Amino acid sequence: MTIRWPCEVLVPRDVAFDIAPRSLAGPASVNGATQVVSSDAGIWKATYGSIVVNNRNAVLAHRAISALLEGRLGSIVVPLCRGYQPVPEGAVAAGLYDQVPHSDDTLFDDGTGYVSGVIDVTAAAPAALRSTSMTVTVTYAGDIQPGQHFSLGERLYRIRTYDPETGTMTFRPPLREAALAGDRLEFDDPVCRMRLASDDGMDLQLSLRRFGTPTVQFIEDV
């Protein structure tokens, strides 16, 4: 199972997720013209900037992730926040995102409870590998708009267009894996499976051996 970045312990102040196009360019001609050929595939790159490392748990968690990843060898699930997603109006106020305890009102040993998804969007029909569009069924969601994200499994996608009349959605990058009818599009907690962009990406410099604000860069694990 792929490990997940613990945003509750290692909180990034600055977050960037972008699709880096894959392009090739030949040498420039005598008049300076250059031909560039780009693939539609693209690859995700992400940056967690100024991560708050200010206590024992954060320091040890950062070191543990570094040891588990072993530079660019290991992969990690990197989550986005729920901001700007199609959260249904009133869902937060109604407590739909609150953690739920056990039947005896107790929580797990780490103080957390059960959490379930709220936004309910599923694939209405199968979509083939490398597809850039699909038809979806929206059971419960707010306004779905271009620029929002969803994930299928551990693969992340960004919406380009959405037609609520037909349920047709286009997105980038192309599907990394085929989707089946009924597969849930994860809007509440979109994630992307990634690797460190460099082998020294988890280096940690601590001020007075106690505090740090490292920046970690990731690239999609394709």
Side-chain angles (χ1 to χ4, degrees), residues 2 11 26 28 34 46 53 58 75 130 173 184 188 191-192 208-209 217:
T2 311
V11 182
T34 301
V53 179
S75 57
R130 290 190 55 77
R184 183 171 182 268
D188 291 304
V191 299
C192 186
L208 301 176
R209 301 185 181 182
Q217 294 181 319

Side-chain angles (χ1 to χ4, degrees), residues 24-209:
L24 295 174
S29 64
V30 175
N31 63 4
T34 301
Q35 183 178 13
V36 178
V37 179
S38 180
S39 165
D40 68 344
I43 188 170
W44 283 102
K45 60 180 181 178
T47 300
Y48 273 3
S50 300
I51 299 167
V52 180
V53 179
N54 60 2
N55 57 55
R56 183 176 186 272
N57 286 342
V59 171
L60 295 181
H62 196 282
R63 290 175 178 172
I65 293 173
S66 178
L68 289 169
L69 292 182
E70 297 185 283
R72 289 176 289 180
L73 289 178
S75 57
I76 184 169
V77 170
V78 182
L80 281 74
C81 70
R82 197 169 62 240
Y84 310 108
Q85 292 293 90
V87 175
E89 185 177 356
V92 176
L96 299 185
Y97 286 100
D98 293 349
Q99 297 184 8
V100 179
H102 297 288
S103 58
D104 59 357
D105 291 330
T106 61
L107 300 172
F108 291 104
D109 292 339
D110 60 357
T112 61
Y114 297 97
V115 178
S116 61
V118 174
I119 301 171
D120 189 0
V121 180
T122 57
L129 174 70
R130 290 190 55 77
S131 295
T132 56
S133 67
M134 68 167 64
T135 304
V136 300
T137 299
V138 179
T139 303
Y140 186 56
D143 292 334
I144 297 177
Q145 299 176 315
Q148 294 173 341
H149 299 91
F150 67 91
S151 55
L152 283 166
E154 296 175 351
R155 299 300 188 180
L156 180 67
Y157 304 94
R158 177 175 291 168
I159 298 175
R160 294 185 72 225
T161 62
Y162 173 65
D163 184 349
E165 297 295 329
T166 64
T168 302
M169 179 185 295
T170 65
F171 49 84
R172 287 291 187 276
L175 284 181
R176 305 300 192 203
E177 301 171 356
L180 301 176
D183 282 354
R184 183 171 182 268
L185 280 60
E186 180 58 69
F187 279 92
D188 291 304
D189 182 31
V191 299
C192 186
R193 190 173 76 217
M194 313 192 88
R195 297 179 184 272
L196 293 177
S198 61
D199 285 325
D200 60 356
M202 288 294 293
D203 286 359
L204 178 61
Q205 182 176 357
L206 295 176
S207 177
L208 301 176
R209 301 185 181 182

